Amino acid sequence: MDSALIPEGVKRCSTGKFALFIGIVGAVLLWGVYAMLLCWLKGLNQTNMNDYYGFALWIWADLAVIALGGGAFFTGFLRYIVGKDELKNIINYAVLIGFICYSSALLILAIDIGQPLRGWFIFWHANVHSMLTEVAFCLSCYFAVLSIEYLPLILENRQLNKVPFFHHLAHNMHEVMAVFAATGAFLSFFHQGSLGGVAGVLFGRPFSFREGVFVWPWTFFLFTWSAAAYGPCFTLSLTKLIEAITGKQLVGEKCVNLLAKISGWMILTYIIAKIADTWYWASVLAPAQGFTLMDFYSNNPVYGIWILVLEIVIGGIIPALILITERGRKNPMLFILAIILGVIGVSINRWVMVLQVMAVPVMPFDTWAMYFPSWQEIATTILPVAYGVILIAISYRYLPVFPQERELND
Amino acid sequence: MKKAQEQNKPKKYGMVIDLDKCTGCGACMVACMAENNVPFKKDESNKKDSITWMRVYKLTNDEKYPDADICYLPRPCQHCEGQHGHSPCVSVCPATATDYSEETGIVSQIYTRCFGCRYCMAACPYHARYFNWWDPVWPEGMEKMLNPDVSPRMRGIVEKCSFCFHRYQSAMDKAHYEGRRDIEEGEYQTACTQACPAGAITFGDLNNPAHKVHELKKHPDAFRLLERLGTNPKIYYMSNREWVRKAGDNHLMAEKPAKKQH
Ligand code: SF4
Ligand code: SF4
């Protein structure tokens, strides 16, 4: 029925099957929308957050999707600025994932604030000292850049591309894409960093506070670095996932290998910096505020020292070592393991930087604050996942997301 | 010379709370709620989502009878001056909805500008900030008892102790009306100070040698909560019990361990 819209020379499942799939995921999406409306209409009393735990699941989800969406800016940077031409075969998909991640982040933020209709105050009454102001400005601008980067892909739909104006527009946009990629990389440097700064500047919270380099705490640089390092792992994970679902190879080995190798080296260098950061924090910064490392990890049911091991060793050192070696990358099992561990590693980092920060007692006579999200929080966190699945499914079906698909599956 | 310098300093309102006098009766909490139109819920059992600008903590020294000892610690917003004038909460608020007043040293909250991102709550180590999780509801008829000088707050924004700033404004208005440029000690008192039956709270201008708090804060028994974080609070506590003073900050193993709240 919709065959005229499907890119030429590629095979897709039947319309009925596709509609059924979209229907199932759509039901999950509607569940999330219902929870979102509850939060908007009734307020944040629909969540399990409280005055001790004012930042919770949503902020983590925001930070995590933004880090994972970092594959878009970093791949764009490598392709257009550094000139790694091989990456042209995955850039469309990286941009699509980035677009989904950033639109999801903005949506979650709109649910997370107590007065959504006043969200624009962050721009109007901007406090230049606040890291969140920097985040808001850069995030919105980068989302605009991602939309511009995604647009030519939409215009390349078989039917739209027949319209001469759209055809030329898409062509010309491709020509100037380096400018947007550079703008995106610049904006990403700041907003990824500012997200690190959000926690790093909290000098009243010894778990997250870090000292400054210029006007930024050094978590600023760690966040940017980690997003560039781990973002490609997420792009590659979703590529492998969609290849497994469709039963086709969609991106050539050379391209995957190159991105994985760069990601591996980035993770390795990042994790060395992260270990140095952890060491300095545990031995100098925290004691200056009256804490030992184990004060942050003991006497609570959830945040044991295992979480630090999971973040640094399992989610950092192991994937880095696999991805930097030719043998690790060539072994399909190890490769999949590495990119999944990478995704877990960065997600855990964002988790501790917001949730553990809230849980650790600061006043000596306080206790650990524990929290479990309500179903409304869970549903609204799954909402963007369902939205992302639908957008990927539609884009894959109707747009030339993977330029190598034809040649690899002939 | 020193005195002259001090007299030229801007006002810096603060409190000295004598923990050896506090009996934990909670009058300050009630007075604060009534004075500032603080909303309450039918079920206040979950202390983590109820609003108490002034909260009284109960600390114990964890010793067995007959050495067991307790202390009640009232905790309003500490009106932190922070580092370089940046209180933990003020510097992070993206919408400039909370502000440090150079004129009085009071950290204020602009309710109509706050959009409820709760970053300030994450930044405050004293848990002195409260989010309005619910619409404020008062029992029928009680809305007529609200203090007309203080605006009730809506759902979805953050609020906190303001040192009853409206009382400062009316004291200043009265002084101006009477042709004075400034107010005397005692003309501006917070509701909790006024209500405390034990006289445990002393309020005034920490920079003004004529005010009692100016001397009290220098007392050897005086300390501040979490002083080593650099928040530079304007609430001083006093106790002649060493374990109480130690409980005001975190201490490494080498130092005397702090006591837990019960
Ligand atoms: S106690 Fe908390 S709310 Fe009050 S000024 Fe300090 S950081 Fe801000
Ligand atoms: S909750 Fe309100 S006062 Fe607090 S940081 Fe956000 S906008 Fe500012």
mmCIF file of all heavy atoms in Angstrom, chain A residues 330-354:
data_model
loop_
_atom_site.group_PDB
_atom_site.id
_atom_site.type_symbol
_atom_site.label_atom_id
_atom_site.label_comp_id
_atom_site.label_asym_id
_atom_site.label_seq_id
_atom_site.Cartn_x
_atom_site.Cartn_y
_atom_site.Cartn_z
ATOM 1 N N LYS A 330 36.712 -7.316 16.260
ATOM 2 C CA LYS A 330 36.338 -8.310 15.236
ATOM 3 C C LYS A 330 35.490 -9.447 15.818
ATOM 4 O O LYS A 330 34.793 -10.140 15.085
ATOM 5 C CB LYS A 330 37.619 -8.884 14.596
ATOM 6 C CG LYS A 330 38.312 -7.899 13.661
ATOM 7 C CD LYS A 330 37.760 -8.002 12.264
ATOM 8 C CE LYS A 330 37.711 -6.698 11.475
ATOM 9 N NZ LYS A 330 38.934 -6.064 11.132
ATOM 10 N N ASN A 331 35.598 -9.660 17.134
ATOM 11 C CA ASN A 331 34.802 -10.715 17.756
ATOM 12 C C ASN A 331 33.388 -10.178 18.034
ATOM 13 O O ASN A 331 33.215 -9.301 18.865
ATOM 14 C CB ASN A 331 35.484 -11.141 19.071
ATOM 15 C CG ASN A 331 34.740 -12.255 19.776
ATOM 16 O OD1 ASN A 331 33.518 -12.297 19.775
ATOM 17 N ND2 ASN A 331 35.491 -13.147 20.382
ATOM 18 N N PRO A 332 32.371 -10.735 17.303
ATOM 19 C CA PRO A 332 31.021 -10.141 17.423
ATOM 20 C C PRO A 332 30.495 -10.109 18.854
ATOM 21 O O PRO A 332 29.906 -9.114 19.279
ATOM 22 C CB PRO A 332 30.152 -11.056 16.551
ATOM 23 C CG PRO A 332 31.095 -11.842 15.708
ATOM 24 C CD PRO A 332 32.411 -11.887 16.399
ATOM 25 N N MET A 333 30.752 -11.190 19.611
ATOM 26 C CA MET A 333 30.226 -11.232 20.979
ATOM 27 C C MET A 333 30.867 -10.155 21.866
ATOM 28 O O MET A 333 30.195 -9.424 22.582
ATOM 29 C CB MET A 333 30.470 -12.611 21.627
ATOM 30 C CG MET A 333 29.679 -13.730 21.013
ATOM 31 S SD MET A 333 27.913 -13.454 21.206
ATOM 32 C CE MET A 333 27.721 -13.883 22.920
ATOM 33 N N LEU A 334 32.205 -10.125 21.763
ATOM 34 C CA LEU A 334 32.934 -9.136 22.566
ATOM 35 C C LEU A 334 32.555 -7.717 22.173
ATOM 36 O O LEU A 334 32.413 -6.831 23.013
ATOM 37 C CB LEU A 334 34.440 -9.329 22.379
ATOM 38 C CG LEU A 334 35.116 -10.416 23.216
ATOM 39 C CD1 LEU A 334 36.607 -10.439 22.920
ATOM 40 C CD2 LEU A 334 34.877 -10.180 24.705
ATOM 41 N N PHE A 335 32.372 -7.529 20.883
ATOM 42 C CA PHE A 335 32.030 -6.203 20.375
ATOM 43 C C PHE A 335 30.688 -5.734 20.954
ATOM 44 O O PHE A 335 30.570 -4.622 21.473
ATOM 45 C CB PHE A 335 31.965 -6.236 18.844
ATOM 46 C CG PHE A 335 31.593 -4.916 18.237
ATOM 47 C CD1 PHE A 335 32.534 -3.907 18.116
ATOM 48 C CD2 PHE A 335 30.293 -4.668 17.816
ATOM 49 C CE1 PHE A 335 32.184 -2.676 17.584
ATOM 50 C CE2 PHE A 335 29.933 -3.443 17.287
ATOM 51 C CZ PHE A 335 30.879 -2.447 17.163
ATOM 52 N N ILE A 336 29.694 -6.627 20.874
ATOM 53 C CA ILE A 336 28.361 -6.287 21.402
ATOM 54 C C ILE A 336 28.470 -6.018 22.908
ATOM 55 O O ILE A 336 27.900 -5.057 23.433
ATOM 56 C CB ILE A 336 27.357 -7.446 21.149
ATOM 57 C CG1 ILE A 336 27.188 -7.692 19.643
ATOM 58 C CG2 ILE A 336 26.005 -7.176 21.817
ATOM 59 C CD1 ILE A 336 26.372 -6.668 18.918
ATOM 60 N N LEU A 337 29.227 -6.884 23.588
ATOM 61 C CA LEU A 337 29.397 -6.727 25.037
ATOM 62 C C LEU A 337 29.981 -5.342 25.349
ATOM 63 O O LEU A 337 29.500 -4.620 26.224
ATOM 64 C CB LEU A 337 30.318 -7.834 25.579
ATOM 65 C CG LEU A 337 30.599 -7.770 27.075
ATOM 66 C CD1 LEU A 337 29.365 -8.229 27.848
ATOM 67 C CD2 LEU A 337 31.806 -8.624 27.470
ATOM 68 N N ALA A 338 31.004 -4.980 24.575
ATOM 69 C CA ALA A 338 31.691 -3.709 24.839
ATOM 70 C C ALA A 338 30.760 -2.518 24.661
ATOM 71 O O ALA A 338 30.717 -1.618 25.514
ATOM 72 C CB ALA A 338 32.904 -3.572 23.929
ATOM 73 N N ILE A 339 29.997 -2.516 23.574
ATOM 74 C CA ILE A 339 29.162 -1.327 23.343
ATOM 75 C C ILE A 339 28.006 -1.267 24.357
ATOM 76 O O ILE A 339 27.607 -0.193 24.788
ATOM 77 C CB ILE A 339 28.659 -1.198 21.876
ATOM 78 C CG1 ILE A 339 27.954 -2.472 21.410
ATOM 79 C CG2 ILE A 339 29.798 -0.826 20.938
ATOM 80 C CD1 ILE A 339 27.417 -2.373 19.981
ATOM 81 N N ILE A 340 27.522 -2.442 24.776
ATOM 82 C CA ILE A 340 26.458 -2.433 25.798
ATOM 83 C C ILE A 340 27.030 -1.968 27.145
ATOM 84 O O ILE A 340 26.426 -1.142 27.845
ATOM 85 C CB ILE A 340 25.788 -3.822 25.921
ATOM 86 C CG1 ILE A 340 24.983 -4.086 24.652
ATOM 87 C CG2 ILE A 340 24.887 -3.902 27.157
ATOM 88 C CD1 ILE A 340 24.346 -5.437 24.558
ATOM 89 N N LEU A 341 28.208 -2.463 27.492
ATOM 90 C CA LEU A 341 28.826 -2.028 28.753
ATOM 91 C C LEU A 341 29.102 -0.521 28.731
ATOM 92 O O LEU A 341 28.969 0.166 29.736
ATOM 93 C CB LEU A 341 30.120 -2.787 29.024
ATOM 94 C CG LEU A 341 29.972 -4.261 29.434
ATOM 95 C CD1 LEU A 341 31.348 -4.880 29.712
ATOM 96 C CD2 LEU A 341 29.073 -4.415 30.649
ATOM 97 N N GLY A 342 29.463 -0.038 27.566
ATOM 98 C CA GLY A 342 29.710 1.406 27.421
ATOM 99 C C GLY A 342 28.444 2.201 27.724
ATOM 100 O O GLY A 342 28.474 3.195 28.462
ATOM 101 N N VAL A 343 27.329 1.742 27.155
ATOM 102 C CA VAL A 343 26.052 2.424 27.384
ATOM 103 C C VAL A 343 25.710 2.388 28.879
ATOM 104 O O VAL A 343 25.291 3.396 29.468
ATOM 105 C CB VAL A 343 24.927 1.758 26.546
ATOM 106 C CG1 VAL A 343 23.557 2.265 26.966
ATOM 107 C CG2 VAL A 343 25.163 2.014 25.065
ATOM 108 N N ILE A 344 25.935 1.230 29.487
ATOM 109 C CA ILE A 344 25.652 1.108 30.935
ATOM 110 C C ILE A 344 26.585 2.035 31.722
ATOM 111 O O ILE A 344 26.148 2.749 32.626
ATOM 112 C CB ILE A 344 25.818 -0.365 31.404
ATOM 113 C CG1 ILE A 344 24.735 -1.227 30.761
ATOM 114 C CG2 ILE A 344 25.763 -0.476 32.930
ATOM 115 C CD1 ILE A 344 24.892 -2.719 30.994
ATOM 116 N N GLY A 345 27.858 2.037 31.360
ATOM 117 C CA GLY A 345 28.848 2.828 32.090
ATOM 118 C C GLY A 345 28.483 4.299 32.157
ATOM 119 O O GLY A 345 28.470 4.907 33.237
ATOM 120 N N VAL A 346 28.129 4.874 31.014
ATOM 121 C CA VAL A 346 27.828 6.319 31.013
ATOM 122 C C VAL A 346 26.490 6.580 31.708
ATOM 123 O O VAL A 346 26.315 7.593 32.390
ATOM 124 C CB VAL A 346 27.884 6.909 29.579
ATOM 125 C CG1 VAL A 346 26.696 6.531 28.747
ATOM 126 C CG2 VAL A 346 28.032 8.425 29.645
ATOM 127 N N SER A 347 25.559 5.637 31.568
ATOM 128 C CA SER A 347 24.259 5.826 32.239
ATOM 129 C C SER A 347 24.438 5.788 33.754
ATOM 130 O O SER A 347 23.800 6.557 34.484
ATOM 131 C CB SER A 347 23.257 4.744 31.823
ATOM 132 O OG SER A 347 23.122 4.734 30.427
ATOM 133 N N ILE A 348 25.318 4.897 34.223
ATOM 134 C CA ILE A 348 25.576 4.824 35.675
ATOM 135 C C ILE A 348 26.246 6.115 36.145
ATOM 136 O O ILE A 348 25.944 6.641 37.210
ATOM 137 C CB ILE A 348 26.478 3.602 36.006
ATOM 138 C CG1 ILE A 348 25.708 2.300 35.764
ATOM 139 C CG2 ILE A 348 27.006 3.661 37.448
ATOM 140 C CD1 ILE A 348 24.639 1.994 36.791
ATOM 141 N N ASN A 349 27.161 6.625 35.333
ATOM 142 C CA ASN A 349 27.817 7.883 35.708
ATOM 143 C C ASN A 349 26.792 8.988 35.906
ATOM 144 O O ASN A 349 26.810 9.715 36.898
ATOM 145 C CB ASN A 349 28.824 8.290 34.616
ATOM 146 C CG ASN A 349 29.392 9.668 34.880
ATOM 147 O OD1 ASN A 349 28.924 10.652 34.331
ATOM 148 N ND2 ASN A 349 30.379 9.746 35.753
ATOM 149 N N ARG A 350 25.872 9.102 34.954
ATOM 150 C CA ARG A 350 24.845 10.153 35.073
ATOM 151 C C ARG A 350 23.932 9.860 36.255
ATOM 152 O O ARG A 350 23.453 10.774 36.926
ATOM 153 C CB ARG A 350 24.011 10.249 33.789
ATOM 154 C CG ARG A 350 24.767 10.635 32.499
ATOM 155 C CD ARG A 350 25.900 11.592 32.687
ATOM 156 N NE ARG A 350 26.366 12.171 31.439
ATOM 157 C CZ ARG A 350 27.623 12.185 31.038
ATOM 158 N NH1 ARG A 350 28.571 11.627 31.777
ATOM 159 N NH2 ARG A 350 27.970 12.765 29.904
ATOM 160 N N TRP A 351 23.671 8.590 36.506
ATOM 161 C CA TRP A 351 22.815 8.189 37.631
ATOM 162 C C TRP A 351 23.411 8.657 38.958
ATOM 163 O O TRP A 351 22.744 9.299 39.759
ATOM 164 C CB TRP A 351 22.663 6.665 37.601
ATOM 165 C CG TRP A 351 21.866 6.081 38.723
ATOM 166 C CD1 TRP A 351 22.308 5.780 39.981
ATOM 167 C CD2 TRP A 351 20.472 5.737 38.704
ATOM 168 N NE1 TRP A 351 21.285 5.261 40.727
ATOM 169 C CE2 TRP A 351 20.141 5.223 39.981
ATOM 170 C CE3 TRP A 351 19.473 5.810 37.729
ATOM 171 C CZ2 TRP A 351 18.864 4.786 40.305
ATOM 172 C CZ3 TRP A 351 18.200 5.367 38.062
ATOM 173 C CH2 TRP A 351 17.909 4.866 39.325
ATOM 174 N N VAL A 352 24.677 8.342 39.177
ATOM 175 C CA VAL A 352 25.261 8.716 40.465
ATOM 176 C C VAL A 352 25.410 10.233 40.580
ATOM 177 O O VAL A 352 25.269 10.786 41.664
ATOM 178 C CB VAL A 352 26.625 8.024 40.748
ATOM 179 C CG1 VAL A 352 26.459 6.533 40.863
ATOM 180 C CG2 VAL A 352 27.671 8.371 39.734
ATOM 181 N N MET A 353 25.665 10.884 39.453
ATOM 182 C CA MET A 353 25.872 12.332 39.535
ATOM 183 C C MET A 353 24.591 13.100 39.843
ATOM 184 O O MET A 353 24.632 14.286 40.156
ATOM 185 C CB MET A 353 26.494 12.875 38.238
ATOM 186 C CG MET A 353 27.936 12.463 38.045
ATOM 187 S SD MET A 353 29.029 12.883 39.438
ATOM 188 C CE MET A 353 29.384 14.591 39.130
ATOM 189 N N VAL A 354 23.432 12.456 39.687
ATOM 190 C CA VAL A 354 22.215 13.148 40.131
ATOM 191 C C VAL A 354 21.529 12.425 41.279
ATOM 192 O O VAL A 354 21.122 13.045 42.256
ATOM 193 C CB VAL A 354 21.173 13.399 39.009
ATOM 194 C CG1 VAL A 354 21.522 14.614 38.231
ATOM 195 C CG2 VAL A 354 20.982 12.211 38.119
#
